[in-house]
Amino acid sequence: MTNIAIVYFSGTGHTHLMAEAIATGAKQVADTNVELIPITGEQIVNGRWKDDEIFAKLQAADAIVFGSPTYMGGVAAQFKAFVDAASSIWFAQGWKDKIAGGFTHSSSLSGDKQGTLLYLSINAAQHSMIWVGAGQMPGQDGMNRLGSFMGVMGQSDMDMSGAPATIEPGDRVTSESYGHRIATATQRWQK
Ligand SMILES: Cc1cc2nc3c(=O)[nH]c(=O)nc-3n(C[C@H](O)[C@H](O)[C@H](O)COP(=O)(O)O)c2cc1C
């Protein structure tokens, strides 16, 4: 059995919907368990993120997929607090050779989302993880419509109406395909 953890922050729900779509795609691969692990601001006390239960879940995972909205061209502060806390794991290289991947969502077509994916991949490299890129050509039904290869990007126009978050159908299929790719790569790596 392959265990995949999707650890992400989402302020208004779009990144959460991408995480769900990645999970849907991963579950299509036989013998795959997937767990969504939300990072929240409440896990930060006196400026430091701490949640031993989440770290235990990540330790048990064969693959960790990291997700954050793009805030000011990079990861959200809440997610960065989690990443910084995981430096305690980095010291012992506790995530070494786990499969890694990343995704982000933002409101502008570019919005400098590449900065977020670059950061997520650098963090994975520091942990000596095995980074899996999107692996999808732009194509039908909006597949990889934003042309991102480092990881998966999603984009929705800013909506101040207070309506529940939605994501573009193309970003959903791209995320599902990525989940399938992550699960497949994890099983190949395990062999
Ligand atoms: C503090 C802040 C900074 C943001 N910076 C960017 C940005 O650099 N580029 C962009 O396209 N959108 C930016 N946005 C918009 C968010 O990326 C967008 O609302 C995203 O969908 C939020 O994802 P979520 O619904 O998962 O929280 C920013 C939003 C906030 C609140």
Side-chain angles (χ1 to χ4, degrees):
M1 188 61 78
T2 304
N3 292 309
I4 297 176
I6 304 173
V7 61
Y8 64 97
F9 169 74
S10 182
T12 51
H14 302 86
T15 312
H16 169 72
L17 292 174
M18 289 182 73
E20 283 190 333
I22 290 170
T24 298
K27 285 180 195 161
Q28 285 164 5
V29 178
D31 300 323
T32 303
N33 279 330
V34 186
E35 184 164 10
L36 296 185
I37 303 178
I39 297 299
T40 69
E42 288 72 31
Q43 295 156 354
I44 302 169
V45 178
N46 291 331
R48 290 194 177 269
W49 184 94
K50 186 171 165 52
D51 191 319
D52 292 338
E53 197 178 326
I54 288 181
F55 273 164
K57 287 177 179 175
L58 295 178
Q59 201 54 53
D62 303 299
I64 305 175
V65 188
F66 301 96
S68 171
T70 292
Y71 281 3
M72 306 311 291
V75 295
Q78 293 89 338
F79 194 82
K80 185 63 164 64
F82 152 73
V83 167
D84 289 357
S87 63
S88 60
I89 294 165
W90 168 84
F91 271 109
Q93 288 287 283
W95 293 346
K96 184 173 185 179
D97 290 343
K98 291 183 190 292
I99 294 286
F103 60 103
T104 187
H105 185 280
S106 90
S107 58
S108 294
L109 264 178
S110 163
D112 295 318
K113 285 185 278 296
Q114 184 79 354
T116 302
L117 293 181
L118 275 173
Y119 179 69
L120 294 177
S121 68
I122 288 169
N123 179 57
Q126 291 208 345
H127 282 280
S128 302
M129 302 173 82
I130 312 296
W131 183 263
V132 176
Q136 299 146 348
M137 291 296 286
Q140 287 185 334
D141 300 326
M143 176 67 81
N144 198 4
R145 70 188 178 96
L146 298 172
S148 172
F149 292 91
M150 177 70 76
V152 173
M153 292 179 181
Q155 178 271 337
S156 307
D157 293 340
M158 189 77 81
D159 179 7
M160 308 296 275
S161 73
T166 59
I167 55 173
E168 292 290 322
D171 298 342
R172 183 177 299 281
V173 295
T174 309
S175 299
E176 288 178 1
S177 171
Y178 190 49
H180 191 280
R181 175 170 164 80
I182 292 274
T184 305
T186 306
Q187 292 189 356
R188 286 180 71 176
W189 181 243
Q190 282 180 319
K191 284 182 193 155

